Amino acid sequence: MLLFLICLTFALPANAGEIKCDVAVIGGGCGGCAAALQAARLGASVTVLEETEMLGGQMTSAAVSTMDDRGLTRTGIYKEFLDKIRAYYKTAGKNVSCCYWGGDTIAFEPLRGAKILHEMLADAGVNVIYGVRPVSAAAKKDTVVSAAFETAEKEKITVRAKIFIDATECGDFIPLTPARWRAGNSLSPKIDKNGIIQDITWVAVVKKYPDGVPAQLLL
């Protein structure tokens, strides 16, 4: 899986020590990708900073790719994404409803979803940096003006932007800023880490190996 994704990763720019843009989106999940696409289409220069090597958040990295939207939310950027999913599997001769109930549901392989999101961002001119996490933020008069990020190799990247958007799955960036923030049913600074609002959904990806399961996957 990682070998497939590495070939998709945008390389860090030559001046990776500092990046300047209009909008910095921290987190490349569904919400982060949508925000980045819309901002870029409105003419802003946009950088997405994703901690993992995969776009899409829970619907790809967590394999929750059997979408149960039931059709009422299939508009705008989300519809564009679904149209690309349908087009890919139509060409491959596959049914996007084969993994769920009914004939109007959508299911896709996590790697395919991540690749399509990557292509959509690239087409919009969005710069994506993988493998970085936020470590600090600097603000002036309650406005975030820059943020520091770190790679797995402990290399530092400074991002200066007019707007910062925390689109991480767990709100990793906003606690570094002066902004008030909410987690579950609690509000900062009194955050209750047990104040969750939904139980965890455990997911597994099933793959068929026509020639048998590879030896390295056997216990």
Side-chain angles (χ1 to χ4, degrees), residues 18-40:
E18 182 171 298
I19 296 171
K20 294 182 179 180
C21 57
D22 295 324
V23 179
V25 180
I26 300 88
C30 298
C33 288
L37 282 167
Q38 187 64 9

Side-chain angles (χ1 to χ4, degrees), residues 170-190:
C170 298
D172 299 326
F173 181 69
I174 199 168
L176 305 175
T177 76
R180 296 179 71 194
W181 53 285
R182 182 179 294 278
N185 58 10
S186 59
L187 185 67
S188 65
K190 297 181 179 179

Side-chain angles (χ1 to χ4, degrees), residues 28 42 58 73 90 111 132 138 148 172 204 214:
L42 290 173
Q58 293 186 41
T73 58
K90 182 178 181 180
L111 286 175
V132 294
D172 299 326

Side-chain angles (χ1 to χ4, degrees), residues 121-146:
L121 291 176
D123 290 343
V126 176
N127 178 37
V128 180
I129 300 176
Y130 294 91
V132 294
R133 65 180 186 88
V135 293
S136 65
K140 291 182 179 179
K141 296 181 179 180
D142 294 328
T143 299
V144 178
V145 294
S146 68

Side-chain angles (χ1 to χ4, degrees), residues 81 192 216:
F81 172 76
D192 177 10
Q216 65 268 26

Side-chain angles (χ1 to χ4, degrees), residues 49-188:
L49 300 109
E50 166 58 35
E51 185 173 358
T52 72
E53 299 295 332
M54 194 172 190
L55 293 173
Q58 293 186 41
M59 76 174 184
T60 55
S61 296
V64 189
S65 58
T66 46
M67 312 305 285
D68 55 358
D69 51 43
R70 304 302 292 168
L72 297 179
T73 58
R74 294 175 186 173
T75 61
I77 292 174
Y78 179 50
K79 183 178 184 299
E80 292 179 37
F81 172 76
L82 293 183
D83 287 345
K84 292 179 182 295
I85 290 289
R86 289 193 185 95
Y88 170 78
Y89 284 105
K90 182 178 181 180
T91 300
K94 302 294 183 180
N95 186 344
V96 294
S97 301
C98 63
C99 296
Y100 225 3
W101 79 87
D104 61 343
T105 56
I106 304 293
F108 56 88
E109 297 160 290
L111 286 175
R112 178 54 50 183
K115 184 175 186 297
I116 287 175
L117 286 174
H118 183 102
E119 292 170 349
M120 290 176 70
L121 291 176
D123 290 343
V126 176
N127 178 37
V128 180
I129 300 176
Y130 294 91
V132 294
R133 65 180 186 88
V135 293
S136 65
K140 291 182 179 179
K141 296 181 179 180
D142 294 328
T143 299
V144 178
V145 294
S146 68
F149 295 80
E150 188 177 77
T151 69
E153 293 74 29
K154 304 300 181 182
E155 296 176 349
K156 295 292 193 301
I157 300 171
T158 298
V159 177
R160 303 186 187 280
K162 298 175 183 177
I163 297 173
F164 287 83
I165 298 174
D166 185 342
T168 60
E169 299 287 348
C170 298
D172 299 326
F173 181 69
I174 199 168
L176 305 175
T177 76
R180 296 179 71 194
W181 53 285
R182 182 179 294 278
N185 58 10
S186 59
L187 185 67
S188 65

